[in-house]
Amino acid sequence: MEDVAGECLEELMQRNLIQVAKWKSNGVPESFIIHDLLLNLAISEAKEGKFLNVSTPQMSLNRYRRVALRDKCSEDYMTEASHHSSSSSSSKSLLCYTEMPPSLYGQFKLLNVLDLEDAPGIKNLPKEIGKLFLLKYLSLRGTRLKTLPPWVGNLYNLQTLNLFGTRIDDDLPIEILKLDKLRHLLCLSRIPKWRSDDSITKRAIRICRPSPPPRHLGDISHLQTLWLRTGDWIEDGLEKLIDLRNLRIDGKEGHMEKFKEKLSQALVKLERLEVLFLIELGEGEIAFPSFSNNKYLYDLYICGHIGKLPDSHNFPPSLTRLRLASTRLEEDMIPILEKLPKLRELTLDKQPYDGVVMKCSARGFPKLENLTLHDFHSLMDWVVEEEAMLNLRKLEINELYGLKSIPNGLSHITTLQELTLVMPKQFLERVKEGGKDWEKIKHVPSIRTREEEIPEEILQQFPQYGRQWVDVYKGDNPS
């Protein structure tokens, strides 16, 4: 279905009915815009054909199958609007951006899509939603929801469940494993193990039926998107989810290291994977297996200690976007990364490297267009050889407090269009017109700067930085 939808968007693009606002690194559209004149025409035609409406409840609930509510209304007003006509029960899609009385959800018996993203006032899921058995899409993203009730397992037609950005801290209910048609599950919580003494088994015994067999996440065989915290599910079925395209796993307090071996084994088998986020917020080491078999994987984000980068041939062959954060590598990672033939976007963030020198070699990074360097404090010298990064268009240098100067090699990168510098005052003095580094960057059409003082805790950790800038300002900086 996702592929068919992509083909429909492609046709709209070819007809110039929509335009691409942003592209993904692999050349696929990420977001779209529509001309305001065309938008007005589309809305007019949609209203005339009773396809959709964005209006007040009194106008929407009576006439349209696809409704978006923006204005807050009282329960009496909503109820009166819904009773004006029996057609309100035929609504298939409801996007609600405002607070709605819980009792009204039960009136939408034929609802397929319920989008409550960022809707105010939702701390507990209204029980009326549990009777919307035709729901295929349910988004509670960004709401204040604290728990997910067990009856969510009754929504057996559900294909998308988006709980990202909610306040759910506890485990998800085990009943979620009954959703056999689920294709996209986004929630950074945990799924507990299905145990012999769980609530489902107890209820089955009470009504004199056989206990249900244990279920695992791997039994939801159609999953394409999965965002979860680390847990036993990694051992109990991750490798069976061979249709996964987008996987995000968050670990805390070293939990990622506990499942390191099993996770590595499973990732190798997920050959259809396109996007992978592995995040460890504790001190444990994170898995970095060989991705040479993951030929569709184009977007990789690794946050956490990995010890050592693998050789370049162990990276995904189609990798176009790579982000490394908090990896604390001891060896310069550039000699490996600059050999990745299709890499277009690279972000190095939050102390990815503990060394003091970084070197980009000639003919390295042949396809790289965007480079972001952020928040690694030990780096003092960045060397860019001539003919390195010859396709670079955007460069951001942000909070590299130890960096002494702009690399000489930037003067040879004629493709560079945007340069962003968030650095100490002394560094920015060097890149002003007439400054010591101005000649290296004067060819860049757009240069944005913002002064950032070196935090006291950084000066305490690296006291040489205070002395360094005195020397640099006097002209003692090496060329």
Side-chain angles (χ1 to χ4, degrees):
M1 293 184 291
E2 292 80 2
D3 295 336
V4 172
E7 293 173 0
C8 293
L9 287 172
E10 179 69 28
E11 184 175 349
L12 292 174
M13 288 169 51
Q14 292 177 356
R15 295 184 179 188
N16 292 322
L17 295 175
I18 58 175
Q19 300 172 355
V20 179
K22 186 178 181 181
W23 295 87
K24 295 181 181 179
S25 61
N26 63 343
V28 174
E30 181 172 339
S31 59
F32 298 91
I33 56 175
I34 184 171
H35 194 280
D36 55 351
L37 295 178
L38 189 57
L39 176 62
N40 293 334
L41 175 62
I43 292 175
S44 176
E45 291 293 316
K47 287 181 178 180
E48 185 175 339
K50 296 184 179 180
F51 180 77
L52 61 82
N53 192 30
V54 180
S55 184
T56 62
Q58 190 169 6
M59 292 294 296
S60 299
L61 297 180
N62 299 340
R63 300 172 55 188
Y64 298 94
R65 291 195 174 188
R66 295 165 182 84
V67 180
L69 300 179
R70 296 184 180 276
D71 300 326
K72 184 176 181 180
C73 299
S74 67
E75 183 167 3
D76 292 340
Y77 182 84
M78 295 281 285
T79 303
E80 180 184 356
S82 65
H83 284 303
H84 275 295
S85 171
S86 59
S87 63
S88 63
S89 62
S90 65
S91 295
K92 296 293 185 71
S93 176
L94 175 60
L95 282 64
C96 188
Y97 303 99
T98 185
E99 196 168 349
M100 191 168 89
S103 61
L104 295 181
Y105 289 108
Q107 299 183 19
F108 300 92
K109 302 295 184 183
L110 301 180
L111 210 59
N112 295 148
V113 173
L114 179 56
D115 190 343
L116 302 174
E117 182 173 341
D118 294 325
I122 298 180
K123 296 182 180 179
N124 298 294
L125 201 60
K127 62 181 184 299
E128 290 80 5
I129 294 178
K131 299 178 182 179
L132 305 180
F133 302 118
L134 299 181
L135 267 187
K136 295 181 179 180
Y137 179 97
L138 175 59
S139 177
L140 297 155
R141 183 171 183 149
T143 64
R144 297 184 178 184
L145 186 69
K146 295 181 178 180
T147 59
L148 194 67
W151 52 252
V152 74
N154 298 332
L155 303 176
Y156 47 82
N157 284 306
L158 209 57
Q159 296 174 357
T160 297
L161 178 58
N162 191 344
L163 304 170
F164 185 70
T166 61
R167 300 187 180 185
I168 298 177
D169 292 326
D170 299 329
D171 292 348
L172 295 178
I174 196 67
E175 286 85 351
I176 204 171
L177 297 179
K178 299 194 314 184
L179 301 175
D180 295 327
K181 298 180 182 180
L182 202 60
R183 301 168 72 87
H184 307 280
L185 174 59
L186 294 82
C187 180
L188 297 183
S189 295
R190 292 180 295 269
I191 289 185
K193 260 194 168 184
W194 189 295
R195 306 185 190 278
S196 59
D197 62 344
D198 64 46
S199 58
I200 293 181
T201 302
K202 290 178 179 178
R203 288 197 295 271
I205 293 174
R206 276 202 302 269
I207 58 178
C208 301
R209 292 179 181 174
S211 301
R215 291 183 62 84
H216 308 289
L217 192 63
D219 295 327
I220 310 178
S221 57
H222 298 294
L223 272 177
Q224 293 190 19
T225 303
L226 179 61
W227 294 7
L228 280 178
R229 281 195 203 166
T230 51
D232 293 327
W233 61 270
I234 294 176
E235 298 175 333
D236 292 339
L238 176 58
E239 63 183 15
K240 298 179 183 178
L241 302 176
I242 57 175
D243 285 336
L244 272 182
R245 300 186 183 186
N246 187 322
L247 175 62
R248 171 172 173 169
I249 304 176
D250 281 29
K252 291 184 178 181
E253 300 174 356
H255 289 172
M256 191 73 78
E257 186 166 9
K258 175 183 176 182
F259 301 101
K260 181 179 178 181
E261 183 176 350
K262 285 291 185 180
L263 180 58
S264 297
Q265 295 172 1
L267 291 175
V268 173
K269 298 179 181 180
L270 304 181
E271 297 183 0
R272 298 186 183 182
L273 208 57
E274 298 178 3
V275 178
L276 176 62
F277 282 35
L278 298 177
I279 301 172
E280 171 56 69
L281 301 179
E283 296 297 326
E285 189 167 308
I286 208 165
F288 203 121
S290 173
F291 290 108
S292 57
N293 290 331
N294 301 92
K295 59 182 180 180
Y296 299 108
L297 183 57
Y298 72 90
D299 189 350
L300 179 61
Y301 177 44
I302 302 291
C303 178
H305 182 58
I306 58 176
K308 184 179 181 181
L309 278 181
D311 294 334
S312 57
H313 64 267
N314 286 320
F315 279 78
S318 300
L319 190 67
T320 57
R321 188 185 191 193
L322 175 63
R323 286 165 286 178
L324 300 177
S326 304
T327 49
R328 304 196 70 92
L329 295 166
E330 296 180 0
E331 298 180 8
D332 186 4
M333 70 291 252
I334 298 301
I336 295 175
L337 301 182
E338 66 184 3
K339 296 177 183 177
L340 301 178
K342 298 183 179 181
L343 192 64
R344 294 181 180 274
E345 297 182 24
L346 175 62
T347 299
L348 303 175
D349 190 13
K350 297 177 183 176
Q351 204 61 24
Y353 171 48
D354 285 339
V356 297
V357 179
M358 189 170 72
K359 181 179 179 181
C360 296
S361 305
R363 294 180 295 278
F365 292 117
K367 298 285 187 179
L368 192 66
E369 297 178 356
N370 299 338
L371 175 61
T372 299
L373 307 176
H374 178 232
D375 193 18
F376 45 118
H377 312 308
S378 57
L379 185 67
M380 300 182 71
D381 292 302
W382 179 24
V383 179
V384 176
E385 293 185 350
E386 190 173 349
E387 296 187 3
M389 303 185 291
L390 288 180
N391 282 302
L392 192 66
R393 298 181 59 84
K394 295 182 180 180
L395 172 61
E396 179 178 344
I397 301 175
N398 192 332
E399 298 180 22
L400 272 63
Y401 297 120
L403 189 63
K404 298 177 181 179
S405 63
I406 291 287
N408 293 332
L410 287 190
S411 61
H412 303 290
I413 304 178
T414 57
T415 56
L416 192 59
Q417 299 295 308
E418 297 180 22
L419 175 61
T420 301
L421 301 171
V422 182
M423 294 290 284
K425 177 181 179 180
Q426 294 87 340
F427 187 97
L428 298 182
E429 290 290 337
R430 298 178 61 89
V431 300
K432 288 182 178 180
E433 187 171 357
K436 294 184 178 180
D437 287 340
W438 170 247
E439 292 295 320
K440 304 175 186 179
I441 61 171
K442 67 178 183 179
H443 62 286
V444 182
S446 175
I447 301 175
R448 294 179 294 179
T449 64
R450 190 178 83 228
E451 183 178 329
E452 187 79 15
E453 291 186 10
I454 303 178
E456 186 63 32
E457 59 269 21
I458 301 299
L459 285 175
Q460 292 177 2
Q461 185 179 2
F462 301 96
Q464 66 272 25
Y465 288 173
R467 298 190 302 271
Q468 166 190 303
W469 282 119
V470 173
D471 295 338
V472 168
Y473 212 59
K474 289 179 179 179
D476 293 339
N477 182 56
S479 61

